[in-house]
Amino acid sequence: MMHCAFIIILLLNSHIFVKCFIFLQERRKIYESNLQRVGLELETEDKSVNGKTYFLKIHAPWDVLTTYADVLKIKVPFKVNDIPENREVPMEWLFTPLRLPDGIMHPEPDYFTSPFDKSKIDFFLMDNRETFFPPSTRNRIVRRLIIIYWTRSKDQKCESERYTLYKHWAKFFLFYKEQPLNLIRKYYGEKIGVYFAWLGFYTEMLFWAALVGLICFLYGVMTYNQNEWSQEICNDTIGGQIVMCPLCDKKCGYWKLSSTCNSSWQSHLFDNVATVFFAIFMGIWVTLFLEFWKRRQARLEYEWDLVDFEEEEQQLQLRPEYESKCTNQRLNRITQVIICTTAVLTCARSCLSGATVLFWMGLIIASIIGVIAYRLAVFAAFASIMKDSPTNDIEFVGSLITPQLATSVTASCINFVIIMILNFFYERVAIWITDMEVPKTHLEYENRLTMKMFLFQFVNYYSSCFYLAFFKGKFVGYPGAYAYMFGSRLRNEECDPGGCLIELTTQLVIVMAGKQVWGNIQEALVPWLRNWWVSRSARSHPESLYSRWEQDHDLQDFTQLGLFYEYLEMVIQFGFITLFVASFPLAPLLALLNNILEVRVDAWKFTTQFRRPVAAKAHSIGAWQEILNMMAVFSVVTNAFIVAFTSDMIPRLVYLYAYQTGKGNNMEGYINNSLSIFNISEIPLASHYQDYRYPPGHEKQYTHTVQFWHILAAKMAFIIIMEHVVFMVKFFVAWLIPDVPSDVKARIRRERYLIQEYLQNYEVEKLKSQLSQCNSHCTCPPDSCTQGMGLSERL
């Protein structure tokens, strides 16, 4: 028995199929005898929780571990790696403060590994039986027999991996330190280890995106006073003399262009030449991130013995819900094994599931239309109220709080609240319809739920951003022929005079930052409050009365879908910093700050707020890899369209190189050039509006000018050129960077060669030993001796 290993706790009130043992004592005895029959050793704790729950300690002896390690073909070391390691990091001394001490990381020699074989136990490198199988492996082995949770023994000689992780991983003030990934993997298993490896690598790569984005933002700040078009808007003799058409019917009046002075300056911070560079950079960055992650993942697969791992084990594990609905049995022609099938209308259930998802997506579209209607209706109210607002008496505040800004901020906040409400209800609907489909395996269940949740959240979080980026202000019409929403009295929304890009930035900041803040509160505060409430009656008890396993029993249960929600949160964030990053270069910086906190919050949750999850294997991040690849390709298209149609960059460049008539290479006269004129019969002056149309009195009055078509052609050319350039670079980088590092390939080939060679030599030596014993003692049958001698001669 491994007395210094771990104590396994069976929580009899944790699962429906185990609860019956509390009441049906006879069946419980049968269950316990079955556990003993497979070799497990049981020890009943002589105490209970409120007289209802009793603890049964289950010890896994060495024979049980070796037997099931053989069955599961768990890889264990048989030889120290003899390939020299050449992984020198340039200027490695700079990263010394980020490293954890060797006493914490416990670096181990790099071994070649082979699937465990109980009959060849002396073939493997085994210094100590107590540490030969790591905790996660022992957890998985016992998991195949029962549903378990465990805690460490009170023996002080035993190492407390959990406390080590809490002390050196879960503390926020160690945010700059590396993660002890090997210890995480040993304690929690490869599936959780891969998640934290991916999260850490994603955070590392975000540093470079955040740095470049910050530089681009600083460029906008440094060129703030060189913004010639904003200077013209703010000039009393130019912008102060230009009268603009009302932005809404009835309640909105005529206004002077100079009133948008501040919003024009603010827009320049994000809408400048650096925006184009940053959009191209992020297209390349996302490719580098995915390609380098493939290499990191390949290295982890090798180091964690997952190279030949296939998810057949998970695929073969039927869900209890599926088995309970099993109504028919049939013979598998390949395996000749009787398997169960469910007589359900699979097609009908799939159609109902798809219709439900489409219905909820329709709700999202309806909510977006409602927010648009809010914008149209409330803008006029803000315009009439704020015209005589007391804030106008305060020069600084009054110049910043405009009707456009007030409408944009309030609409974004309302949209965020709607998003969170729809998420709350849809999450339960998605689980319900996935349960209704009765997936066969846990892996199939998770994949189906992943697709439903991602599609919904993609539409829910990004639809408002797509509207602002690609639809708002594009179908307005012109004075005298305005377009109205769905035939109503609400005129289609125009962009802020500073451009739609600043509104997209506002929406992105509110939704992205709000989601991150709410997510951290939900992840950290809610489990803590629940645990505090559950353990309130026992907090004052000493350790002798409130044991470690009882405390663990009171913690929150980390469900099978726990990692699913963690991945989903990060993938949605990934979409914010890739799909719309051209409108907000600081988005990667916000994501970086959030992820630095996210790593430590997740570590704190795992070590203090949740029961230890059942260890599971995973060689990759699964279906999320394809989703990230898809979003990376889509992001190139969205950013190209944002620069072309949402930003004013292309019209400015067309004016600069084709229509500028002044002296020097400057933007003088751009504002007048970008506005069209509309005659107003009621007042003796002309009103302007944002468009490129012929003036009144022209034979083609109020139709688009040639410059409009030149700008449109330039926009389409920019989209095509940017997409092709970025895609060519992406494909070249993907081809240039191999998915598996060369040293890992060499080690894999070397390992497979050594396995064959060592096993062959092992079998030969074993056979020679048997033959020598046979010849010396003559205890074997004559026929076998003769056969052995013949074989010996051949050898």
Side-chain angles (χ1 to χ4, degrees):
M1 185 187 303
M2 303 182 67
H3 295 288
C4 191
F6 297 92
I7 300 171
I8 311 301
I9 301 173
L10 176 63
L11 299 177
L12 300 179
N13 65 341
S14 297
H15 301 273
I16 296 174
F17 70 93
V18 181
K19 284 184 177 179
C20 61
F21 297 140
I22 300 176
F23 307 101
L24 304 177
Q25 297 295 327
E26 190 63 30
R27 295 180 67 179
R28 173 179 173 176
K29 291 179 181 178
I30 295 174
Y31 178 72
E32 292 179 355
S33 64
N34 290 336
L35 296 181
Q36 292 174 324
R37 191 175 296 113
V38 296
L40 296 176
E41 299 177 359
L42 310 182
E43 177 187 353
T44 303
E45 180 67 21
D46 188 20
K47 68 182 303 184
S48 67
V49 180
N50 299 325
K52 296 179 180 180
T53 304
Y54 291 82
F55 294 92
L56 183 68
K57 301 178 184 177
I58 303 178
H59 305 267
W62 173 253
D63 288 341
V64 173
L65 294 175
T66 55
T67 298
Y68 279 89
D70 193 349
V71 172
L72 297 175
K73 298 302 178 185
I74 293 174
K75 287 190 172 183
V76 293
F78 70 91
K79 186 183 186 302
V80 178
N81 180 18
D82 55 3
I83 298 179
E85 183 177 12
N86 296 318
R87 292 179 58 189
E88 296 182 359
V89 180
M91 302 181 71
E92 189 173 4
W93 58 273
L94 290 174
F95 301 94
T96 302
L98 309 179
R99 307 297 183 194
L100 285 172
D102 288 346
I104 305 303
M105 296 294 289
H106 294 295
E108 298 180 352
D110 190 8
Y111 295 106
F112 291 120
T113 60
S114 175
F116 184 79
D117 189 339
K118 188 176 181 180
S119 63
K120 302 180 179 64
I121 199 167
D122 53 341
F123 170 71
F124 303 99
L125 296 178
M126 186 184 303
D127 297 330
N128 187 351
R129 285 187 174 186
E130 303 292 329
T131 59
F132 186 67
F133 294 110
S136 59
T137 299
R138 299 201 292 272
N139 188 303
R140 288 180 54 230
I141 290 174
V142 182
R143 174 65 176 80
R144 292 184 62 87
L145 304 175
I146 55 172
I147 296 177
I148 58 168
Y149 292 98
W150 67 268
T151 183
R152 67 186 181 96
S153 168
K154 290 188 179 234
D155 190 342
Q156 297 301 319
K157 295 181 181 179
C158 295
E159 180 185 13
S160 172
E161 291 92 346
R162 182 176 177 180
Y163 179 73
T164 302
L165 286 171
Y166 170 75
K167 185 177 180 181
H168 299 282
W169 177 48
K171 296 293 185 65
F172 174 74
F173 293 105
L174 296 175
F175 68 90
Y176 60 93
K177 292 287 187 180
E178 63 180 328
Q179 296 185 84
L181 292 177
N182 285 329
L183 190 56
I184 298 171
R185 171 241 180 173
K186 286 182 179 180
Y187 188 77
Y188 289 111
E190 287 80 2
K191 189 172 184 178
I192 292 177
V194 168
Y195 165 72
F196 279 104
W198 176 81
L199 179 59
F201 180 77
Y202 172 43
T203 305
E204 292 173 15
M205 290 295 292
L206 272 176
F207 172 80
W208 305 108
L211 180 62
V212 176
L214 181 61
I215 292 174
C216 292
F217 176 76
L218 292 177
Y219 171 82
V221 174
M222 290 185 293
T223 59
Y224 194 77
N225 294 324
Q226 302 174 15
N227 183 2
E228 296 180 12
W229 50 92
S230 294
Q231 293 175 3
E232 290 189 351
I233 291 176
C234 299
N235 193 311
D236 291 336
T237 60
I238 301 177
Q241 300 300 319
I242 297 177
V243 178
M244 302 294 293
C245 292
L247 295 176
C248 66
D249 294 339
K250 296 182 179 179
K251 293 186 178 181
C252 295
Y254 296 94
W255 51 283
K256 292 186 178 181
L257 184 62
S258 58
S259 64
T260 64
C261 177
N262 286 325
S263 62
S264 175
W265 287 111
Q266 294 163 9
S267 178
H268 175 72
L269 296 176
F270 307 105
D271 189 5
N272 51 63
V273 177
T275 301
V276 181
F277 166 76
F278 191 60
I280 296 174
F281 168 81
M282 287 302 295
I284 300 173
W285 174 88
V286 73
T287 303
L288 292 173
F289 163 65
L290 294 174
E291 292 301 320
F292 283 136
W293 165 246
K294 290 177 184 177
R295 291 172 61 85
R296 177 73 65 89
Q297 186 171 262
R299 191 176 297 279
L300 288 177
E301 285 184 16
Y302 172 75
E303 294 176 351
W304 292 358
D305 297 323
L306 300 170
V307 174
D308 299 321
F309 170 74
E310 296 182 0
E311 295 179 344
E312 295 178 357
E313 181 181 338
Q314 289 93 328
Q315 294 172 355
L316 293 175
Q317 292 180 355
L318 298 180
R319 297 175 64 240
E321 295 84 354
Y322 177 84
E323 292 183 295
S324 66
K325 295 182 182 295
C326 179
T327 56
N328 295 328
Q329 291 184 338
R330 65 178 177 86
L331 179 67
N332 189 314
R333 295 182 179 181
I334 299 175
T335 62
Q336 295 297 307
V337 175
I338 299 296
I339 60 175
C340 68
T341 59
T342 55
V344 296
L345 298 176
T346 306
C347 182
R349 295 195 177 202
S350 298
C351 291
L352 178 60
S353 174
T356 304
V357 175
L358 291 176
F359 170 76
W360 277 86
M361 288 186 179
L363 285 181
I364 298 174
I365 303 301
S367 68
I368 295 299
I369 294 175
V371 173
I372 294 173
Y374 167 85
R375 288 173 177 269
L376 297 176
V378 172
F379 174 77
F382 275 127
S384 60
I385 293 174
M386 299 182 69
K387 181 170 60 175
D388 301 321
S389 173
T391 58
N392 291 332
D393 298 332
I394 306 175
E395 183 177 352
F396 177 74
V397 176
S399 63
L400 292 180
I401 303 178
T402 62
Q404 294 87 355
L405 179 62
T407 303
S408 178
V409 171
T410 56
S412 298
C413 292
I414 292 173
N415 184 239
F416 173 71
V417 173
I418 294 174
I419 286 173
M420 303 312 295
I421 293 174
L422 289 177
N423 270 348
F424 176 80
F425 287 105
Y426 179 78
E427 178 182 326
R428 285 145 183 81
V429 173
I431 294 175
W432 174 72
I433 59 178
T434 307
D435 290 338
M436 180 192 65
E437 294 172 0
V438 195
K440 189 174 183 179
T441 64
H442 292 289
L443 185 62
E444 184 181 352
Y445 181 92
E446 188 169 334
N447 288 339
R448 292 191 182 188
L449 185 61
T450 297
M451 188 56 63
K452 293 181 182 68
M453 287 294 294
F454 174 73
L455 285 176
F456 177 83
Q457 294 214 5
F458 183 91
V459 177
N460 196 20
Y461 278 108
Y462 304 145
S463 56
S464 57
C465 294
F466 275 108
Y467 164 73
L468 291 173
F470 308 124
F471 295 98
K472 183 179 178 181
K474 305 300 186 296
F475 308 100
V476 177
Y478 61 93
Y482 282 119
Y484 291 82
M485 187 175 71
F486 303 129
S488 66
R489 296 182 179 180
L490 296 175
R491 202 173 89 190
N492 281 356
E493 201 175 8
E494 295 186 42
C495 287
D496 184 278
C500 274
L501 192 73
I502 193 67
E503 293 191 63
L504 177 60
T505 302
T506 303
Q507 175 77 15
L508 196 65
V509 170
I510 291 176
V511 176
M512 181 179 175
K515 181 184 182 301
Q516 293 182 166
V517 172
W518 175 254
N520 285 322
I521 292 175
Q522 201 172 22
E523 288 186 20
L525 188 60
V526 173
W528 181 82
L529 288 176
R530 288 178 176 176
N531 289 328
W532 176 84
W533 180 257
V534 171
S535 62
R536 64 190 184 284
S537 62
R539 284 193 297 270
S540 59
H541 293 178
E543 180 74 15
S544 59
L545 297 178
Y546 191 40
S547 60
R548 180 71 261 172
W549 51 83
E550 290 177 284
Q551 296 175 41
D552 288 347
H553 165 259
D554 290 338
L555 296 178
Q556 296 295 301
D557 186 11
F558 191 80
T559 63
Q560 185 184 2
L561 296 176
L563 278 185
F564 164 80
Y565 293 112
E566 301 292 344
Y567 276 119
L568 181 61
E569 179 188 6
M570 289 296 103
V571 169
I572 294 298
Q573 181 202 83
F574 181 81
F576 278 122
I577 69 165
T578 54
L579 297 177
F580 309 102
V581 74
S583 66
F584 187 44
L586 295 181
L589 180 61
L590 288 182
L592 174 64
L593 297 176
N594 174 80
N595 288 8
I596 290 174
L597 178 64
E598 180 77 20
V599 172
R600 304 302 160 174
V601 168
D602 286 349
W604 175 77
K605 286 191 311 182
F606 272 91
T607 55
T608 64
Q609 302 303 310
F610 287 99
R611 301 172 190 164
R612 183 191 179 196
V614 174
K617 276 197 169 187
H619 62 86
S620 67
I621 61 176
W624 300 109
Q625 182 77 37
E626 292 303 319
I627 291 176
L628 292 175
N629 290 332
M630 180 179 61
M631 294 180 70
V633 174
F634 193 39
S635 68
V636 177
V637 179
T638 56
N639 283 298
F641 272 84
I642 287 174
V643 174
F645 287 98
T646 311
S647 167
D648 286 336
M649 184 59 57
I650 302 301
R652 293 170 191 162
L653 293 177
V654 171
Y655 173 80
L656 180 64
Y657 294 109
Y659 290 90
Q660 202 269 349
T661 57
K663 297 181 180 180
N665 192 20
N666 56 53
M667 295 294 294
E668 182 179 349
Y670 169 73
I671 293 301
N672 269 317
N673 178 265
S674 65
L675 298 176
S676 297
I677 299 176
F678 183 78
N679 271 343
I680 307 172
S681 59
E682 289 79 5
I683 56 177
L685 49 83
S687 179
H688 296 74
Y689 59 98
Q690 291 181 319
D691 208 341
Y692 293 90
R693 294 179 184 271
Y694 287 108
H698 194 278
E699 60 180 3
K700 298 180 180 179
Q701 65 176 3
Y702 302 134
T703 60
H704 285 119
T705 64
V706 174
Q707 186 175 355
F708 170 84
W709 300 108
H710 287 171
I711 292 174
L712 182 61
K715 290 179 177 179
M716 300 306 297
F718 172 81
I719 291 172
I720 294 173
I721 293 173
M722 177 178 170
E723 287 183 357
H724 281 69
V725 169
V726 175
F727 279 132
M728 288 177 61
V729 174
K730 281 169 65 69
F731 292 137
F732 176 73
V733 170
W735 170 80
L736 187 66
I737 303 175
D739 292 347
V740 182
S742 58
D743 63 318
V744 173
K745 288 182 179 179
R747 293 184 183 190
I748 293 174
R749 289 194 293 264
R750 174 70 173 166
E751 182 178 276
R752 289 173 177 171
Y753 167 77
L754 289 176
I755 289 175
Q756 295 179 350
E757 183 184 32
Y758 272 55
L759 282 176
Q760 182 178 357
N761 294 337
Y762 175 83
E763 295 292 347
V764 169
E765 294 298 327
K766 187 175 181 179
L767 182 57
K768 286 181 178 179
S769 176
Q770 293 176 351
L771 292 175
S772 62
Q773 292 179 3
C774 182
N775 291 330
S776 61
H777 299 288
C778 295
T779 57
C780 57
D783 291 342
S784 63
C785 285
T786 304
Q787 294 173 1
M789 291 174 64
L791 179 60
S792 177
E793 292 172 359
R794 289 197 299 271
L795 294 174

